[in-house]
Amino acid sequence: MKANDIFRLTEKRLFQYGGNIKKLVTLQNELKELQHGGDIHAQSYNSSAANNHGVNNPVLNYVEKVLSIEHKIARLERDIKPVKRLIEDLQRDNSQKARDFIILLREFYSDKHSLKEIAEIIKKDRRTLYNRRCELVKKAASYF
């Protein structure tokens, strides 16, 4: 894989991190509701789950829904884990560079502010932030 491809793929995963966290929380809550019998939809008629005689199987519907949610949760956790480890490592590092990386993760990748906006807020020039962004993506790539 080319360096540009790795950079783009890593950045894509950094941009997706915040949304993936929100999806994970939603799915975990949905699974809790299902496990506590809070979802009446698990027992509603589903023609694709009906057997050959046209009889609905609510237990099968419930199990399929739980397994589907668990699969989605596992995939999201797998996608989130490297970025989470990166953030934890950066938080333990007290260097200015690590603090800049954390700002970029929050402001650029999660909140989608431009480098120009971030530079004005933290009083750094855009070129420095651009360089930090490149360094951050290279560092993040090593976590994937």
Side-chain angles (χ1 to χ4, degrees):
M1 189 178 280
K2 294 179 183 178
N4 284 344
D5 295 335
I6 293 170
F7 189 92
R8 279 196 304 275
L9 181 61
T10 302
E11 255 203 335
K12 179 180 177 184
R13 293 183 77 182
L14 292 174
F15 277 119
Q16 292 172 337
Y17 177 73
N20 285 344
I21 293 286
K22 290 175 186 171
K23 288 176 193 174
L24 179 62
V25 169
T26 300
L27 287 170
Q28 288 170 332
N29 289 336
E30 187 176 341
L31 185 60
K32 283 179 191 173
E33 285 180 28
L34 262 177
Q35 291 170 336
H36 295 317
D39 187 4
I40 60 170
H41 302 293
Q43 296 186 19
S44 64
Y45 181 77
N46 180 352
S47 61
S48 66
N51 65 22
N52 291 338
H53 304 291
V55 177
N56 187 25
N57 186 340
V59 174
L60 180 60
N61 291 347
Y62 174 81
V63 170
E64 286 177 345
K65 190 165 188 173
V66 167
L67 289 175
S68 173
I69 292 171
E70 287 176 340
H71 176 73
K72 290 174 185 174
I73 287 173
R75 184 180 43 80
L76 284 169
E77 286 174 338
R78 203 172 41 251
D79 289 347
I80 288 168
K81 189 177 180 179
V83 181
K84 194 173 186 178
R85 278 193 353 251
L86 170 65
I87 292 169
E88 290 166 356
D89 289 349
L90 290 172
Q91 289 173 335
R92 282 193 290 273
D93 184 347
N94 286 330
S95 70
Q96 182 59 51
K97 185 184 283 192
R99 288 191 294 271
D100 289 349
F101 288 165
I102 291 170
I103 289 168
L104 283 170
L105 284 168
R106 185 182 57 243
E107 300 295 329
F108 185 71
Y109 291 105
S110 291
D111 295 344
K112 313 279 192 291
H113 293 183
S114 71
L115 291 178
K116 180 181 179 184
E117 292 170 323
I118 298 166
E120 290 171 2
I121 293 169
I122 65 171
K123 308 292 188 237
K124 292 198 180 213
D125 64 280
R126 276 193 347 217
R127 188 72 194 152
T128 299
L129 283 182
Y130 177 80
N131 290 337
R132 289 283 197 256
R133 173 183 161 217
C134 292
E135 292 175 61
L136 172 62
V137 173
K138 287 177 186 174
K139 183 175 187 67
S142 69
Y143 282 75
F144 293 110

